Amino acid sequence: MLAKAAGLGADMVFLDLEDAVAPLEKEAARDTIVEAINTHDWGDAVLCVRVNAWDTEWTYRDVVHVVENASERLDELMLPKVEYASDVRALDLLLTQIEKVTRRQSTVGIEAQIETARGLINVEEICAASPRLETIIFGPADFAASTEMPVLTGGVQIPEYPGDHFHYVFSKILMAGRATGLQVIDGPFLKIKELDALRDYAMRTRILGYDGKWALHPDQVAVINEVFTPTQEQFDTALDILEAYEKATTEGAVGERKGAVMFGDEMIDEASRKMAIKFVSRGERAGMARSAG
Ligand code: GLV
Ligand code: MG
């Protein structure tokens, strides 16, 4: 599984020491992970290790063992069940010392998971807790457990609920992440064989503005990439908007340049440029090019 992970088309890979590892395997798993980081070809994927949460006895040794022994190919650590800004600060301080001792050239980034009621209440301070923070992630399975939602499967739509039972949570995490310039990522969808249901559910966070979503299984990667990549039509329209806006705002003599113009039958202005630029940068990151003609 570890050897195959980098070739699956995901932008980021994380190696887990937390809930995917049985308690009696935790210590041995650290060596397996270090060896995998140092020996596999990870391509251009962002490479991350999820350590155990601070309420266990494993976190500090996870961090020290992995970061002291992994090569600089390790980009970041993921901290689960973050509840306070000080949880992130503690990891930041530990990393600062390890980086000094190992003379690491690059800085280890942090991804924080929000997956408890307390974490959600404190998400704004958590997002601002450290310059190492790159990403805030919603963890629906632990979150459902923390809030005592009567569900047995994490991250899926609940047909009995008229609406989206996580709408408030999705929005609150998104606002906190955007306000602090972090990437905002949706967590797992546990019914790994139900790809249509995954597509439907992933579209909810995509439409709210999330940057991406976890994949638990190779089959989920293509669906998630499809949902979080602009369509060709969106990409082309965004480029057309940028061009029309550029022309309107720069061409002509003094007094003739316009900040708001018609684009087909709708009006565009500076806000339209800001919306369009997001589609273009996401599309380019996914290797898209403008359609011919
Ligand atoms: C992920 O860690 C989750 O709890 O959903
Ligand atoms: Mg979790």
Side-chain angles (χ1 to χ4, degrees), residues 34 40 49 54 62 71 82 92 94 108 111 119 124 126 143 154 161 183 186-187 207 217 228 235 289 292:
V34 167
H40 296 319
V49 171
W54 281 123
D62 288 347
S71 70
V82 174
D92 181 322
L94 193 50
V108 179
E111 303 216 353
E124 291 165 25
I126 289 169
F143 193 85
Y161 189 82
Q183 295 195 78
D186 186 14
I207 288 185
H217 185 276
F228 285 89
F235 185 74

Side-chain angles (χ1 to χ4, degrees), residues 100-117:
K100 276 190 193 147
V101 169
T102 58
R103 300 184 200 284
R104 232 187 111 100
Q105 300 298 304
S106 52
T107 307
V108 179
I110 298 177
E111 303 216 353
Q113 280 188 280
I114 299 298
E115 41 186 357
T116 63

Side-chain angles (χ1 to χ4, degrees), residues 18-19 50 80-81 113 115 139 141-142:
E18 204 220 13
D19 287 356
R50 179 165 74 166
K81 301 180 180 65
Q113 280 188 280
E115 41 186 357
D142 272 303

